[in-house]
Amino acid sequence: MTIIWSLSIVFFVSCESAGDKRLDFALEQAGKNRIGLEKVLNYYQNDSLKLEAARFLIRNMPGHGGYEDDRLDSVKAVMKAAVELNIGGYLPDSEWKRKWD
């Protein structure tokens, strides 16, 4: 029984250090947004459940960024082409077009 407890502790400690490494990596990759992410972590430091949720989200952020360049947003590119080409003879009203712009 002692062996099982010892292995469990080693397992959880190793998972914690791997999670910490991923958190550190995510914070390094955040660049100028790091300050904001650290503020979130500090804000939830007294609520262990919310702190772990924030840590989970931050650890999983790398590779899930967004684009500010419309050329990289496939939906906007398709809608822009449809409006410019007036595909299907349908020209959206100005409110609909404003939302997509």
Side-chain angles (χ1 to χ4, degrees):
M1 189 57 129
T2 308
I3 293 173
I4 293 173
W5 281 107
S6 299
L7 290 174
S8 297
I9 291 171
V10 169
F11 174 75
F12 287 118
V13 169
S14 67
C15 288
E16 182 67 27
S17 63
D20 288 343
K21 288 178 184 175
R22 289 180 57 209
L23 181 65
D24 290 339
F25 176 75
L27 290 172
E28 289 171 11
Q29 296 298 307
K32 63 184 177 182
N33 293 328
R34 181 182 182 129
I35 294 169
L37 296 175
E38 288 175 341
K39 285 180 182 179
V40 169
L41 294 173
N42 288 331
Y43 183 81
Y44 290 120
Q45 67 186 353
N46 296 323
D47 187 334
S48 62
L49 186 60
K50 290 181 181 178
L51 177 61
E52 186 51 39
R55 291 170 59 100
F56 172 83
L57 291 172
I58 294 170
R59 278 194 305 260
N60 290 288
M61 281 179 147
H64 295 94
Y67 299 107
E68 293 181 10
D69 188 347
D70 287 349
R71 295 173 298 156
L72 300 174
D73 186 333
S74 60
V75 174
K76 284 186 180 179
V78 169
M79 296 309 297
K80 183 176 179 182
V83 169
E84 288 174 356
L85 299 173
N86 196 14
I87 294 175
Y90 175 73
L91 190 60
D93 64 8
S94 60
E95 177 65 17
W96 185 87
K97 186 178 181 306
R98 184 188 64 75
K99 288 179 181 178
W100 279 100
D101 287 343

